[in-house]
Amino acid sequence: MSSNATGTEFKSWAGGKALLAMMVGVGVMLMASSAMAQSQASVSAMLRGAMLGIGPSPVASMINPQHDEWLEDEEIQAWLWPTPVERAWPVDEQGRPVVETRRREVFFHEVGPRESLSRLRSMYRVTTAMLQEMNPELDLRNLEVGQKVKVWELDDSSWARSVGRANSGRLIRGEPMPPAESYILLYPHRAFGTYYAVSETVRVLDAYYETFNDAPPLIVGDMSFRTGRAISPHRSHRSGRDVDVTLPRLVEPPNYNRFHYIRRDHLDAQRTLWMVLKLLEGGMVEHIFLDWYHQRTLYRLARDQGAPEAWLREVFQYPRRGGSGIVRHEPGHRKHLHVRYRCQETDRWCG
């Protein structure tokens, strides 16, 4: 899968398996030549990486320790561990955001036991008039269990906007996360966000399951309500730019009904680091909140795999309490990654 969410500027390496295979083949041919044996400096960093069977940052965990002398090459290190770069979301000629990842076209809620019109209004932050307009054939005051009620529909003429700060703002025209067989939406009515927060989350999760097709489901927790504002028990998640995603595990949880505590030896650190690198690749992440408990594991793994000290300092707050870093400590974040995306030009008073 390509990194469509960020336009042609950000092509996903994880989706470029054919390109990697081609470069590996070319690399083998070059290594067989005497010219290559005499002068490895004449080969690009990307091609030399392909010869090692490694890719750029999202697959850095595949490094073969037998090739330490190659990995000391500054070009290859910069390729494997690129400095995070802020990017603006691509827009078309009319200034509208370009979104090419999967999207939810329409959202139907299946009425459950003891659910009423009042309950639906509260869950989706909609009025009776809005629901009736979307469901002219239904008697909303006499809903039956199993009935499907349309609660949201994609409008291509507008897009979701974040307003204000993550801990005091709101969301305009929030867009819901699309469902998937690979991941679980814990509370779909609390999984609304801006177009870029939804699209980047979809991009990373789809790439994750394309790369690790044997991976058990990840759980997507809260983003925001359709209109944002306070969402218990969070202090943030109010403006559509935050999302909680459970950490990859080596041992499956007892169930998928909630986030479960993850012991350090149960954390799939390799795949978690992959996710962090994939998120940074898009250039849309402002912060990733993660407890020291697991942040230390990822820091040490990246360091042991050859990440430069400058990259480690920029990405991880650990081990500097009170220091800076994109991945930051926040109490209560030992079970999941909390990702906060950067504001975009389409937002208002965003900060």
Side-chain angles (χ1 to χ4, degrees), residues 7 9 24 30 32 69 77 120 154 156 167 184 195 204 212 225 232 236 280 282 288 297 305 331 347:
E9 183 181 359
V24 171
L30 287 171
E69 69 279 5
Q77 284 222 345
L120 265 60
L154 181 64
D156 288 326
N167 61 358
I184 295 170
Y195 60 88
V204 171
F212 310 111
F225 285 124
S232 179
S236 58
L280 297 181
I288 298 174
T297 301
Q305 291 184 348
D347 297 326

Side-chain angles (χ1 to χ4, degrees), residues 59-300:
V59 288
S61 61
M62 297 170 62
I63 293 173
N64 186 335
Q66 295 180 354
H67 299 289
D68 290 344
E69 69 279 5
W70 287 77
L71 297 178
E72 292 175 0
D73 185 290
E74 291 184 0
E75 284 185 273
I76 291 181
Q77 284 222 345
W79 176 52
L80 288 170
W81 308 96
T83 301
V85 176
E86 296 182 26
R87 295 185 172 95
W89 193 269
V91 296
D92 62 18
E93 295 179 353
Q94 286 74 42
R96 297 175 301 191
V98 177
V99 178
E100 298 178 358
T101 48
R102 294 182 300 108
R103 305 179 83 175
R104 197 162 199 161
E105 299 288 335
V106 64
F107 190 168
F108 283 95
H109 174 88
E110 185 173 329
V111 178
R114 297 181 298 279
E115 287 188 342
S116 63
L117 171 61
S118 176
R119 172 64 175 160
L120 265 60
R121 287 200 308 251
S122 175
M123 290 175 67
Y124 296 99
R125 303 306 198 257
V126 291
T127 64
T128 300
M130 293 168 64
L131 286 173
Q132 195 65 72
E133 183 178 356
M134 289 187 284
N135 302 274
E137 75 287 1
L138 295 183
D139 181 359
L140 295 176
R141 298 190 183 279
N142 291 285
L143 296 174
E144 299 179 0
V145 174
Q147 274 189 304
K148 292 185 177 180
V149 181
K150 185 189 295 186
V151 294
W152 181 89
E153 190 168 12
L154 181 64
D155 180 359
D156 288 326
S157 67
S158 63
W159 50 85
R161 290 178 168 87
S162 181
V163 180
R165 301 176 63 85
N167 61 358
S168 60
R170 59 191 176 97
L171 179 62
I172 297 177
R173 300 187 183 93
E175 177 175 334
M177 274 286 294
E181 294 182 359
S182 50
Y183 58 79
I184 295 170
L185 294 176
L186 196 58
Y187 304 113
H189 67 287
R190 296 163 65 107
F192 283 77
T194 62
Y195 60 88
Y196 54 86
V198 170
S199 186
E200 274 294 273
T201 304
V202 168
R203 177 185 72 86
V204 171
L205 290 175
D206 282 355
Y208 179 85
Y209 286 103
E210 183 176 327
T211 304
F212 310 111
N213 51 31
D214 63 333
L218 294 177
I219 299 174
V220 178
D222 288 338
M223 294 186 79
S224 294
F225 285 124
R226 187 186 67 85
T227 56
R229 302 188 186 276
I231 177 170
S232 179
H234 309 284
R235 288 182 296 177
S236 58
H237 288 266
R238 298 188 180 204
S239 60
R241 296 190 292 119
D242 299 85
V243 60
D244 291 337
V245 181
T246 190
L247 296 163
R249 304 170 60 109
L250 295 171
V251 178
E252 285 203 52
N255 57 62
Y256 290 92
N257 298 329
R258 60 184 178 89
F259 290 166
H260 291 274
Y261 174 80
I262 303 176
R263 289 168 32 180
R264 189 175 286 121
D265 59 340
H266 287 181
L267 175 72
D268 192 330
Q270 294 278 10
R271 293 183 179 184
T272 303
L273 180 60
W274 187 98
M275 285 185 64
V276 170
L277 291 166
K278 196 67 178 173
L279 284 162
L280 297 181
E281 177 191 62
M284 301 294 161
V285 172
E286 180 177 343
H287 294 303
I288 298 174
F289 298 107
L290 182 65
D291 194 279
W292 290 113
Y293 182 77
H294 292 313
Q295 194 178 147
R296 179 180 68 177
T297 301
L298 300 184
Y299 175 93
R300 291 179 175 177

